[in-house]
Amino acid sequence: MAAESAKSSGPLADLRVVEMGQLLAGPFCGQLLGDLGAEVIKLESPGTGDPMRQWGREQSQGKSLWWPVVARNKKSVTCNLREAAGQRLARRLIERADIVIENFRPGTMERWGLGFDQLRADHPELIMTRVTGYGQTGPYAPRAGYGSIGEAMGGIRYVTGDPDHAPARTGISLGDSLAAVFATIGTLAAVHHRANTGRGQMVDSAIYEAVLAMMESLLPEWAITGYQRERTGSVLPNVAPSNVYPTAGGEMILVAANQDTVFARLAEAMGRPELAGDARYSTHIARGARMAELDELIGAWTATIETDRLLDRLHAAGVPAGRIFTARDMFADPHFAAREAIVRLAHPEFGELPMHNVFPKLSETPGAVRHPGPELGEHNQEVYGGLLGLAPDDLEQLAADGII
């Protein structure tokens, strides 16, 4: 459907998405679809817009540096969904869309007359992607659900951090982002199904379940053996050597040499080839049992060598090792540059604005960051006037009534 007005390229350029909701979980799904070419029309409250326009720890000129990223490749239109006229306007847009994304509390869209069953009655091909804390069903569905709560319920908070401290946050909005990624996967699966059947469907992505999906064998470990995974800090229990080690420059690097053959290469690089044949360290199980003493031995060696020289030696020996990157490291790294992992866009307030590029890379139909996040209501005329054909007088009246 998006081919009528879309000017983008990419594998999803034939899809039109109406993004409703705010903050991160739903909008990040919209960002991912937009990165791959979909036309994403974001509905925002008149006057205020998505709170993400103000969020983020660091700001420039009083404006969020997060908004240009999460809203990139999107069109912004204002629409007061709490008024009947705004609900009617949204429905008109949805009638011209392939996908609706929303992350309101369950029942909200239904109260507005925009629930899945209500919309699909007139639009059986519609795909509705719903991202919430607990999902659309179950006893917890009506609860307010933020990403942090989903991370706790899904299990990742309990196992994150140092064993001597309270469960830690990862430093990013992991639960929201995972729910958005799984929502995107589900949306694309629904698009494929629709291509074969002509029928749309609802995609139900819950934050806690998205986190749970990443928890490896945590559940059978408890059910079958009674083993409860605990916080282990920087190490992986019984897997050694795989840790953070100091260098002569006061920096830290990661070294992962837990496989027998790789440990032998590490021992050679250390000038201690005999370690690979030492019964205390020669097998995976033996090294795991002596993790602490092995880490101390390796750390004493790494601490005598400057970081770059140490990494050169380890890489030459075929030992997986690397810096713990900060943003500064990413901008200076030649691999980031060669892979174009960072893209720079012109921004009206910030000048040159860098951000991470589209991922994954597709050889035939690559996605692209076409523009940073838009101004509030920037595309009202294009979408309402062009796509829906509303006259200028109608737009003026909607604005005067507080609908757009």
PDB file of all heavy atoms in Angstrom, residues 299-325:
ATOM      1  N   GLY A 299      45.941 -12.636  34.520  1.00  0.00           N
ATOM      2  CA  GLY A 299      45.925 -11.213  34.831  1.00  0.00           C
ATOM      3  C   GLY A 299      47.300 -10.677  35.181  1.00  0.00           C
ATOM      4  O   GLY A 299      47.639  -9.532  34.836  1.00  0.00           O
ATOM      5  N   ALA A 300      48.102 -11.483  35.862  1.00  0.00           N
ATOM      6  CA  ALA A 300      49.462 -11.055  36.197  1.00  0.00           C
ATOM      7  C   ALA A 300      50.289 -10.859  34.930  1.00  0.00           C
ATOM      8  O   ALA A 300      51.152  -9.969  34.867  1.00  0.00           O
ATOM      9  CB  ALA A 300      50.109 -12.079  37.114  1.00  0.00           C
ATOM     10  N   TRP A 301      50.010 -11.669  33.919  1.00  0.00           N
ATOM     11  CA  TRP A 301      50.747 -11.531  32.640  1.00  0.00           C
ATOM     12  C   TRP A 301      50.234 -10.337  31.841  1.00  0.00           C
ATOM     13  O   TRP A 301      51.014  -9.504  31.381  1.00  0.00           O
ATOM     14  CB  TRP A 301      50.603 -12.817  31.830  1.00  0.00           C
ATOM     15  CG  TRP A 301      51.119 -12.694  30.435  1.00  0.00           C
ATOM     16  CD1 TRP A 301      52.415 -12.568  30.041  1.00  0.00           C
ATOM     17  CD2 TRP A 301      50.321 -12.658  29.225  1.00  0.00           C
ATOM     18  NE1 TRP A 301      52.496 -12.469  28.668  1.00  0.00           N
ATOM     19  CE2 TRP A 301      51.235 -12.521  28.149  1.00  0.00           C
ATOM     20  CE3 TRP A 301      48.970 -12.743  28.966  1.00  0.00           C
ATOM     21  CZ2 TRP A 301      50.802 -12.461  26.824  1.00  0.00           C
ATOM     22  CZ3 TRP A 301      48.540 -12.697  27.655  1.00  0.00           C
ATOM     23  CH2 TRP A 301      49.446 -12.546  26.601  1.00  0.00           C
ATOM     24  N   THR A 302      48.911 -10.214  31.686  1.00  0.00           N
ATOM     25  CA  THR A 302      48.373  -9.114  30.870  1.00  0.00           C
ATOM     26  C   THR A 302      48.734  -7.756  31.459  1.00  0.00           C
ATOM     27  O   THR A 302      48.908  -6.786  30.721  1.00  0.00           O
ATOM     28  CB  THR A 302      46.844  -9.219  30.741  1.00  0.00           C
ATOM     29  OG1 THR A 302      46.235  -9.125  32.039  1.00  0.00           O
ATOM     30  CG2 THR A 302      46.429 -10.532  30.075  1.00  0.00           C
ATOM     31  N   ALA A 303      48.846  -7.676  32.772  1.00  0.00           N
ATOM     32  CA  ALA A 303      49.124  -6.392  33.423  1.00  0.00           C
ATOM     33  C   ALA A 303      50.519  -5.859  33.120  1.00  0.00           C
ATOM     34  O   ALA A 303      50.815  -4.700  33.417  1.00  0.00           O
ATOM     35  CB  ALA A 303      48.945  -6.528  34.935  1.00  0.00           C
ATOM     36  N   THR A 304      51.357  -6.671  32.502  1.00  0.00           N
ATOM     37  CA  THR A 304      52.729  -6.236  32.181  1.00  0.00           C
ATOM     38  C   THR A 304      52.867  -5.712  30.765  1.00  0.00           C
ATOM     39  O   THR A 304      53.950  -5.261  30.371  1.00  0.00           O
ATOM     40  CB  THR A 304      53.714  -7.397  32.367  1.00  0.00           C
ATOM     41  OG1 THR A 304      53.432  -8.434  31.388  1.00  0.00           O
ATOM     42  CG2 THR A 304      53.611  -7.991  33.763  1.00  0.00           C
ATOM     43  N   ILE A 305      51.771  -5.746  29.971  1.00  0.00           N
ATOM     44  CA  ILE A 305      51.855  -5.400  28.552  1.00  0.00           C
ATOM     45  C   ILE A 305      50.857  -4.301  28.225  1.00  0.00           C
ATOM     46  O   ILE A 305      49.699  -4.349  28.657  1.00  0.00           O
ATOM     47  CB  ILE A 305      51.597  -6.635  27.662  1.00  0.00           C
ATOM     48  CG1 ILE A 305      52.496  -7.804  28.072  1.00  0.00           C
ATOM     49  CG2 ILE A 305      51.810  -6.303  26.190  1.00  0.00           C
ATOM     50  CD1 ILE A 305      52.173  -9.102  27.368  1.00  0.00           C
ATOM     51  N   GLU A 306      51.297  -3.314  27.449  1.00  0.00           N
ATOM     52  CA  GLU A 306      50.429  -2.219  27.019  1.00  0.00           C
ATOM     53  C   GLU A 306      49.293  -2.762  26.151  1.00  0.00           C
ATOM     54  O   GLU A 306      49.460  -3.734  25.422  1.00  0.00           O
ATOM     55  CB  GLU A 306      51.263  -1.182  26.266  1.00  0.00           C
ATOM     56  CG  GLU A 306      50.534   0.080  25.867  1.00  0.00           C
ATOM     57  CD  GLU A 306      49.851  -0.059  24.520  1.00  0.00           C
ATOM     58  OE1 GLU A 306      50.364  -0.832  23.676  1.00  0.00           O
ATOM     59  OE2 GLU A 306      48.798   0.572  24.311  1.00  0.00           O
ATOM     60  N   THR A 307      48.135  -2.115  26.209  1.00  0.00           N
ATOM     61  CA  THR A 307      46.902  -2.658  25.628  1.00  0.00           C
ATOM     62  C   THR A 307      47.026  -3.010  24.152  1.00  0.00           C
ATOM     63  O   THR A 307      46.712  -4.135  23.743  1.00  0.00           O
ATOM     64  CB  THR A 307      45.749  -1.657  25.811  1.00  0.00           C
ATOM     65  OG1 THR A 307      45.595  -1.364  27.203  1.00  0.00           O
ATOM     66  CG2 THR A 307      44.449  -2.225  25.270  1.00  0.00           C
ATOM     67  N   ASP A 308      47.464  -2.077  23.326  1.00  0.00           N
ATOM     68  CA  ASP A 308      47.529  -2.347  21.882  1.00  0.00           C
ATOM     69  C   ASP A 308      48.497  -3.480  21.571  1.00  0.00           C
ATOM     70  O   ASP A 308      48.208  -4.349  20.732  1.00  0.00           O
ATOM     71  CB  ASP A 308      47.938  -1.080  21.127  1.00  0.00           C
ATOM     72  CG  ASP A 308      46.817  -0.044  21.082  1.00  0.00           C
ATOM     73  OD1 ASP A 308      45.644  -0.440  21.195  1.00  0.00           O
ATOM     74  OD2 ASP A 308      47.122   1.161  20.945  1.00  0.00           O
ATOM     75  N   ARG A 309      49.655  -3.480  22.236  1.00  0.00           N
ATOM     76  CA  ARG A 309      50.643  -4.527  21.990  1.00  0.00           C
ATOM     77  C   ARG A 309      50.104  -5.886  22.452  1.00  0.00           C
ATOM     78  O   ARG A 309      50.313  -6.910  21.787  1.00  0.00           O
ATOM     79  CB  ARG A 309      51.948  -4.178  22.709  1.00  0.00           C
ATOM     80  CG  ARG A 309      53.158  -5.036  22.287  1.00  0.00           C
ATOM     81  CD  ARG A 309      54.462  -4.311  22.621  1.00  0.00           C
ATOM     82  NE  ARG A 309      54.575  -4.052  24.050  1.00  0.00           N
ATOM     83  CZ  ARG A 309      55.126  -4.905  24.917  1.00  0.00           C
ATOM     84  NH1 ARG A 309      55.591  -6.069  24.488  1.00  0.00           N
ATOM     85  NH2 ARG A 309      55.213  -4.593  26.185  1.00  0.00           N
ATOM     86  N   LEU A 310      49.410  -5.886  23.571  1.00  0.00           N
ATOM     87  CA  LEU A 310      48.824  -7.124  24.083  1.00  0.00           C
ATOM     88  C   LEU A 310      47.778  -7.671  23.121  1.00  0.00           C
ATOM     89  O   LEU A 310      47.768  -8.867  22.793  1.00  0.00           O
ATOM     90  CB  LEU A 310      48.195  -6.862  25.450  1.00  0.00           C
ATOM     91  CG  LEU A 310      47.425  -8.013  26.095  1.00  0.00           C
ATOM     92  CD1 LEU A 310      48.320  -9.224  26.296  1.00  0.00           C
ATOM     93  CD2 LEU A 310      46.808  -7.554  27.422  1.00  0.00           C
ATOM     94  N   LEU A 311      46.885  -6.795  22.634  1.00  0.00           N
ATOM     95  CA  LEU A 311      45.856  -7.246  21.704  1.00  0.00           C
ATOM     96  C   LEU A 311      46.457  -7.734  20.402  1.00  0.00           C
ATOM     97  O   LEU A 311      46.000  -8.730  19.824  1.00  0.00           O
ATOM     98  CB  LEU A 311      44.850  -6.123  21.453  1.00  0.00           C
ATOM     99  CG  LEU A 311      43.914  -5.809  22.614  1.00  0.00           C
ATOM    100  CD1 LEU A 311      43.096  -4.557  22.320  1.00  0.00           C
ATOM    101  CD2 LEU A 311      42.972  -6.983  22.895  1.00  0.00           C
ATOM    102  N   ASP A 312      47.491  -7.060  19.906  1.00  0.00           N
ATOM    103  CA  ASP A 312      48.167  -7.517  18.691  1.00  0.00           C
ATOM    104  C   ASP A 312      48.707  -8.929  18.875  1.00  0.00           C
ATOM    105  O   ASP A 312      48.595  -9.776  17.983  1.00  0.00           O
ATOM    106  CB  ASP A 312      49.309  -6.565  18.328  1.00  0.00           C
ATOM    107  CG  ASP A 312      48.813  -5.249  17.757  1.00  0.00           C
ATOM    108  OD1 ASP A 312      47.631  -5.175  17.367  1.00  0.00           O
ATOM    109  OD2 ASP A 312      49.608  -4.288  17.713  1.00  0.00           O
ATOM    110  N   ARG A 313      49.305  -9.181  20.035  1.00  0.00           N
ATOM    111  CA  ARG A 313      49.875 -10.505  20.292  1.00  0.00           C
ATOM    112  C   ARG A 313      48.778 -11.562  20.362  1.00  0.00           C
ATOM    113  O   ARG A 313      48.918 -12.666  19.787  1.00  0.00           O
ATOM    114  CB  ARG A 313      50.677 -10.492  21.593  1.00  0.00           C
ATOM    115  CG  ARG A 313      51.348 -11.825  21.896  1.00  0.00           C
ATOM    116  CD  ARG A 313      52.116 -11.810  23.207  1.00  0.00           C
ATOM    117  NE  ARG A 313      53.201 -10.833  23.214  1.00  0.00           N
ATOM    118  CZ  ARG A 313      54.094 -10.736  24.199  1.00  0.00           C
ATOM    119  NH1 ARG A 313      54.027 -11.553  25.249  1.00  0.00           N
ATOM    120  NH2 ARG A 313      55.052  -9.847  24.146  1.00  0.00           N
ATOM    121  N   LEU A 314      47.694 -11.257  21.033  1.00  0.00           N
ATOM    122  CA  LEU A 314      46.601 -12.225  21.161  1.00  0.00           C
ATOM    123  C   LEU A 314      45.917 -12.490  19.827  1.00  0.00           C
ATOM    124  O   LEU A 314      45.611 -13.649  19.488  1.00  0.00           O
ATOM    125  CB  LEU A 314      45.583 -11.716  22.189  1.00  0.00           C
ATOM    126  CG  LEU A 314      46.082 -11.675  23.640  1.00  0.00           C
ATOM    127  CD1 LEU A 314      45.081 -10.944  24.532  1.00  0.00           C
ATOM    128  CD2 LEU A 314      46.329 -13.085  24.167  1.00  0.00           C
ATOM    129  N   HIS A 315      45.700 -11.449  19.053  1.00  0.00           N
ATOM    130  CA  HIS A 315      45.066 -11.643  17.750  1.00  0.00           C
ATOM    131  C   HIS A 315      45.959 -12.451  16.821  1.00  0.00           C
ATOM    132  O   HIS A 315      45.478 -13.313  16.073  1.00  0.00           O
ATOM    133  CB  HIS A 315      44.733 -10.286  17.126  1.00  0.00           C
ATOM    134  CG  HIS A 315      43.696  -9.522  17.888  1.00  0.00           C
ATOM    135  ND1 HIS A 315      43.581  -8.147  17.831  1.00  0.00           N
ATOM    136  CD2 HIS A 315      42.709  -9.936  18.737  1.00  0.00           C
ATOM    137  CE1 HIS A 315      42.588  -7.759  18.603  1.00  0.00           C
ATOM    138  NE2 HIS A 315      42.053  -8.818  19.161  1.00  0.00           N
ATOM    139  N   ALA A 316      47.249 -12.170  16.849  1.00  0.00           N
ATOM    140  CA  ALA A 316      48.186 -12.923  16.014  1.00  0.00           C
ATOM    141  C   ALA A 316      48.192 -14.403  16.392  1.00  0.00           C
ATOM    142  O   ALA A 316      48.399 -15.275  15.539  1.00  0.00           O
ATOM    143  CB  ALA A 316      49.587 -12.337  16.141  1.00  0.00           C
ATOM    144  N   ALA A 317      47.938 -14.689  17.661  1.00  0.00           N
ATOM    145  CA  ALA A 317      47.918 -16.075  18.123  1.00  0.00           C
ATOM    146  C   ALA A 317      46.565 -16.740  17.916  1.00  0.00           C
ATOM    147  O   ALA A 317      46.410 -17.938  18.195  1.00  0.00           O
ATOM    148  CB  ALA A 317      48.289 -16.109  19.606  1.00  0.00           C
ATOM    149  N   GLY A 318      45.584 -16.000  17.441  1.00  0.00           N
ATOM    150  CA  GLY A 318      44.265 -16.568  17.218  1.00  0.00           C
ATOM    151  C   GLY A 318      43.450 -16.717  18.492  1.00  0.00           C
ATOM    152  O   GLY A 318      42.598 -17.600  18.594  1.00  0.00           O
ATOM    153  N   VAL A 319      43.691 -15.813  19.454  1.00  0.00           N
ATOM    154  CA  VAL A 319      42.964 -15.845  20.720  1.00  0.00           C
ATOM    155  C   VAL A 319      41.898 -14.742  20.700  1.00  0.00           C
ATOM    156  O   VAL A 319      42.234 -13.570  20.510  1.00  0.00           O
ATOM    157  CB  VAL A 319      43.915 -15.615  21.915  1.00  0.00           C
ATOM    158  CG1 VAL A 319      43.122 -15.558  23.223  1.00  0.00           C
ATOM    159  CG2 VAL A 319      44.968 -16.721  21.970  1.00  0.00           C
ATOM    160  N   PRO A 320      40.613 -15.073  20.887  1.00  0.00           N
ATOM    161  CA  PRO A 320      39.583 -14.041  20.927  1.00  0.00           C
ATOM    162  C   PRO A 320      39.820 -13.071  22.090  1.00  0.00           C
ATOM    163  O   PRO A 320      39.896 -13.484  23.252  1.00  0.00           O
ATOM    164  CB  PRO A 320      38.291 -14.830  21.143  1.00  0.00           C
ATOM    165  CG  PRO A 320      38.594 -16.205  20.641  1.00  0.00           C
ATOM    166  CD  PRO A 320      40.036 -16.433  20.977  1.00  0.00           C
ATOM    167  N   ALA A 321      39.970 -11.798  21.771  1.00  0.00           N
ATOM    168  CA  ALA A 321      40.236 -10.778  22.778  1.00  0.00           C
ATOM    169  C   ALA A 321      39.821  -9.428  22.215  1.00  0.00           C
ATOM    170  O   ALA A 321      39.806  -9.230  20.997  1.00  0.00           O
ATOM    171  CB  ALA A 321      41.716 -10.760  23.156  1.00  0.00           C
ATOM    172  N   GLY A 322      39.512  -8.504  23.091  1.00  0.00           N
ATOM    173  CA  GLY A 322      39.128  -7.184  22.601  1.00  0.00           C
ATOM    174  C   GLY A 322      38.937  -6.180  23.718  1.00  0.00           C
ATOM    175  O   GLY A 322      38.824  -6.539  24.897  1.00  0.00           O
ATOM    176  N   ARG A 323      38.900  -4.920  23.315  1.00  0.00           N
ATOM    177  CA  ARG A 323      38.625  -3.840  24.251  1.00  0.00           C
ATOM    178  C   ARG A 323      37.168  -3.882  24.694  1.00  0.00           C
ATOM    179  O   ARG A 323      36.304  -4.451  24.016  1.00  0.00           O
ATOM    180  CB  ARG A 323      38.876  -2.483  23.577  1.00  0.00           C
ATOM    181  CG  ARG A 323      40.299  -2.226  23.149  1.00  0.00           C
ATOM    182  CD  ARG A 323      40.384  -0.878  22.436  1.00  0.00           C
ATOM    183  NE  ARG A 323      41.742  -0.607  21.983  1.00  0.00           N
ATOM    184  CZ  ARG A 323      42.678  -0.046  22.723  1.00  0.00           C
ATOM    185  NH1 ARG A 323      42.393   0.317  23.970  1.00  0.00           N
ATOM    186  NH2 ARG A 323      43.887   0.152  22.249  1.00  0.00           N
ATOM    187  N   ILE A 324      36.900  -3.242  25.799  1.00  0.00           N
ATOM    188  CA  ILE A 324      35.534  -2.984  26.222  1.00  0.00           C
ATOM    189  C   ILE A 324      35.194  -1.591  25.691  1.00  0.00           C
ATOM    190  O   ILE A 324      35.609  -0.585  26.256  1.00  0.00           O
ATOM    191  CB  ILE A 324      35.404  -3.063  27.747  1.00  0.00           C
ATOM    192  CG1 ILE A 324      35.815  -4.463  28.227  1.00  0.00           C
ATOM    193  CG2 ILE A 324      33.968  -2.748  28.177  1.00  0.00           C
ATOM    194  CD1 ILE A 324      35.861  -4.600  29.729  1.00  0.00           C
ATOM    195  N   PHE A 325      34.486  -1.547  24.596  1.00  0.00           N
ATOM    196  CA  PHE A 325      34.316  -0.309  23.838  1.00  0.00           C
ATOM    197  C   PHE A 325      33.404   0.693  24.539  1.00  0.00           C
ATOM    198  O   PHE A 325      32.367   0.330  25.106  1.00  0.00           O
ATOM    199  CB  PHE A 325      33.728  -0.613  22.461  1.00  0.00           C
ATOM    200  CG  PHE A 325      34.742  -0.998  21.425  1.00  0.00           C
ATOM    201  CD1 PHE A 325      35.639  -2.033  21.641  1.00  0.00           C
ATOM    202  CD2 PHE A 325      34.803  -0.319  20.220  1.00  0.00           C
ATOM    203  CE1 PHE A 325      36.564  -2.394  20.686  1.00  0.00           C
ATOM    204  CE2 PHE A 325      35.733  -0.663  19.245  1.00  0.00           C
ATOM    205  CZ  PHE A 325      36.615  -1.700  19.482  1.00  0.00           C
TER     206      PHE A 325
END
